[in-house]
Amino acid sequence: MRYSANLGFLFTDLPLPQAIHAAKQAGFDAVECYFPFDVPPADVAQALADTGLGMLGLNTWPGDRSAGDFGLAALPARKDEARAAIAQAVAYAADTGTQVVHVMAGRTDGGTEADATFRANLAHACDLAGPHDVTVLIEPINTRDVPGYHLSRTEHAVRLIDAVARPNLKLMFDCYHTQIMQGDLATHLRDLLPLIGHVQIAAVPDRGEPDQGEVDYIWLMQHLQDLGYSAPIGAEYKPRAGTTQGLGWLARFRDAI
């Protein structure tokens, strides 16, 4: 298996271009990030070219996080902001060769108007991203960490993907979030595999390195490989004692699979 360093959590003491170099030196096969928009895309593209790493994904701008925003795309009153964030993310992805854009839904009342807004904005995002060969992702996020997040279960994501009916809309399967909300990761991965655009891992329940806790990730990565999944796995975890200090898991996983 191959692994991608999520630079939203890893190597965060470094500027993004340097973090890309650090991920390469640590042995990762790719990188992904959250909100890189304050870094000129040319600088990121150069770091990617220098290291030979690909940028797997980035997120749409989440809004005013200090006010509780965690995405905009399902908020009926903020359609213009949501579409501006989508345009920004797609343009940045195109400029850096990033493969996917995660469109963040936001916190809502869970009602039909919010869902209709999310569907419309996802269709818009897919149509905007398609000419750049960029895939749009949606991610169920657990409501323990993010109360009120509009999308929290995989079956809701499947309904959205079916309703939007765009070939470049896929599911971000985050094992941490799905384990908290639903469990039974092996079955969900098997059943949802045709819809999955990216897989992420972290320990449950502490979201640390994926080497302890409820989930046996070495077994699960073997299961994914047996299913035919071959894309890099996103290491989206919060280091318990610093990024470099916690990287022992990566060598162990490579030895096992």
Side-chain angles (χ1 to χ4, degrees):
M1 297 295 284
R2 295 177 294 150
Y3 296 93
S4 167
N6 189 299
L7 303 179
F9 282 157
L10 307 184
F11 305 108
T12 56
D13 56 325
L14 300 173
L16 182 55
Q18 293 180 29
I20 293 169
H21 282 270
K24 174 67 173 182
Q25 292 170 359
F28 284 99
D29 305 291
V31 292
E32 54 202 70
C33 59
Y34 284 161
F35 318 112
F37 309 113
D38 58 346
V39 181
D43 293 354
V44 171
Q46 186 62 58
L48 295 171
D50 290 344
T51 59
L53 297 181
M55 180 72 79
L56 295 190
L58 56 88
N59 295 346
T60 54
W61 185 249
D64 184 354
R65 286 172 287 180
S66 66
D69 287 345
F70 206 79
L72 302 168
L75 280 58
R78 300 177 72 176
K79 176 181 174 181
D80 291 344
E81 289 178 78
R83 296 204 172 188
I86 289 166
Q88 177 190 43
V90 169
Y92 200 99
D95 288 344
T96 55
T98 299
Q99 297 176 18
V100 305
V101 167
H102 167 213
V103 174
M104 299 185 69
R107 306 175 196 259
T108 75
D109 61 4
T112 56
E113 185 180 10
D115 215 51
T117 298
F118 196 28
R119 290 196 304 272
N121 282 329
L122 288 173
H124 173 78
C126 290
D127 293 345
L128 194 64
H132 302 288
D133 293 323
V134 171
T135 296
V136 173
L137 298 183
I138 52 174
E139 178 184 17
I141 293 177
N142 82 78
T143 54
R144 185 167 74 197
D145 288 353
V146 187
Y149 195 74
H150 184 74
L151 176 61
S152 62
R153 298 183 66 87
T154 56
E155 54 265 35
H156 186 185
V158 171
R159 292 196 301 272
L160 287 164
I161 291 169
D162 287 346
V164 173
R166 299 294 196 280
N168 61 330
L169 180 60
K170 296 288 186 178
L171 169 67
M172 173 106 78
F173 191 101
D174 187 306
C175 295
Y176 167 78
H177 292 302
T178 304
Q179 173 68 10
I180 290 171
M181 294 300 296
Q182 300 177 248
D184 199 10
L185 295 177
T187 300
H188 283 107
L189 285 166
R190 182 198 67 200
D191 293 348
L192 296 170
L193 192 67
L195 300 180
I196 292 175
H198 188 39
V199 175
Q200 294 178 327
I201 59 175
V204 183
D206 72 353
R207 209 175 188 182
E209 287 83 355
D211 55 2
Q212 59 182 265
E214 298 176 10
V215 181
D216 180 349
Y217 277 115
I218 289 179
W219 184 92
L220 195 67
M221 295 302 95
Q222 184 65 63
H223 175 67
L224 256 180
Q225 184 169 272
D226 291 345
L227 290 173
Y229 191 86
S230 60
I233 303 297
E236 190 195 31
Y237 62 85
K238 297 178 180 179
R240 298 183 182 100
T243 300
T244 303
Q245 296 91 317
L247 285 176
W249 70 270
L250 185 57
R252 293 194 295 275
F253 278 40
R254 290 197 190 283
D255 287 345
I257 305 171

